[in-house]
Amino acid sequence: MAEKESSGRPVHPEVTLSLPFEGLWLVRNSPARRVPSHGTDLFGERYAIDFVGVDERRRTADRRDWRTFLATEPADRFFAYGRPILAPADGTLVEVHDGEIDHAGRRSQLALVPYTLGQAARVRQGVRAVAGNYLVIALPGGAFVALAHLRGGSVRVTPGEEVTAGQHVAACGNSGNSTQPHLHMQVMETRDFSVARGVPMAFRHFRERPRGGRQFHPREYGVPGEGAVVEPLDPPS
């Protein structure tokens, strides 16, 4: 029988997943730093994590120009935009939302001001305004993993379809509550974001270069640290 909280609700064990991409990604809002990782329990985000595509120099975009400091920037100048997103585990696709626009990127403090002022309104609009384009996969153990801020029109799977770990299911975008292209990932106890509670997760077989570090270190299991750069590794034979 599952362990229960004092409230009588079951406590979910940590869910182990594969990183849902290839290449180098920078870790933001890691639950290894704090919980709730995004500063809120709303929409099942308690243990959520963000990944931003980078190059070997930890850059998130291929250039800096006047737009970087004074205005918005095209989403396609960011390395994450359009990168394949992979299923992090075997499961059944139970929900898809597509059709939200991909916003321009905002690294400029000037461009971030009006965006920040609109934050509360987006939350009031609900899940689609926050998550943008997303998909939800039901896992064999009973939990649900969500991948959000996907590129509009990029989802390659349909509800009811069985997916396997490593399958290309969508592309990284900048939809929803996102200031630059990145992947938001979380595990929940139910598929409904509006009432979901977050579930802890960890990842298998990856290498990690800690923030400020020069070398990558292999990790068989764990949650990457805030500001680390990670890359998936092939599982041991």
Side-chain angles (χ1 to χ4, degrees):
M1 182 178 293
E3 179 186 356
K4 293 184 179 293
E5 296 179 346
S6 58
S7 65
R9 300 186 69 165
V11 177
H12 287 273
E14 198 168 60
V15 173
T16 305
L17 302 165
S18 299
L19 289 172
F21 43 68
E22 296 179 343
L24 300 176
W25 295 71
L26 177 67
V27 177
R28 293 296 191 202
N29 296 313
S30 172
R33 177 187 64 165
R34 67 176 184 180
V35 175
S37 60
H38 285 58
T40 179
D41 284 326
L42 285 174
F43 304 125
E45 292 187 358
R46 183 171 181 80
Y47 302 99
I49 191 168
D50 292 332
F51 297 101
V52 185
V54 294
D55 65 3
E56 291 283 353
R57 296 159 55 188
R58 291 173 56 98
R59 299 184 307 166
T60 63
D62 63 1
R63 78 200 77 169
R64 284 180 176 271
D65 56 21
W66 68 270
R67 299 184 67 92
T68 308
F69 303 100
L70 299 175
T72 61
E73 301 174 83
D76 60 7
R77 75 164 49 175
F78 293 86
F79 295 125
Y81 189 69
R83 280 191 183 180
I85 299 302
L86 314 178
D90 296 345
T92 304
L93 191 78
V94 293
E95 188 168 347
V96 170
H97 176 66
D98 202 348
E100 303 293 329
I101 64 169
D102 287 288
H103 307 297
R106 297 172 185 265
R107 286 186 286 179
S108 161
Q109 292 301 311
L110 289 175
L112 284 170
V113 169
Y115 180 86
T116 302
L117 293 175
Q119 179 76 6
R122 286 188 293 276
V123 171
R124 288 194 298 270
Q125 291 171 33
V127 172
R128 294 179 178 183
V130 175
N133 303 310
Y134 65 85
L135 58 83
V136 180
I137 299 170
L139 304 176
F144 298 81
V145 59
L147 305 173
H149 306 314
L150 304 175
R151 182 175 179 176
S154 74
V155 177
R156 303 160 63 104
V157 285
T158 56
E161 184 174 342
E162 299 294 324
V163 299
T164 58
Q167 179 179 340
H168 183 181
V169 293
C172 185
N174 198 39
S175 59
N177 187 33
S178 177
T179 57
Q180 67 173 274
H182 75 284
L183 175 69
H184 174 99
M185 181 178 186
Q186 64 187 55
V187 179
M188 311 173 289
E189 64 177 9
T190 176
R191 63 191 280 181
D192 185 350
F193 287 84
S194 63
V195 298
R197 299 204 317 168
V199 175
M201 62 182 159
F203 299 94
R204 60 169 74 89
H205 309 315
F206 63 96
R207 65 176 188 148
E208 176 178 358
R209 187 172 73 200
R211 183 174 188 173
R214 296 185 177 182
Q215 301 295 325
F216 280 95
H217 304 284
R219 298 191 64 182
E220 290 302 309
Y221 179 85
V223 180
E226 179 70 17
V229 174
V230 296
E231 181 178 31
L233 294 173
D234 292 332
S237 58

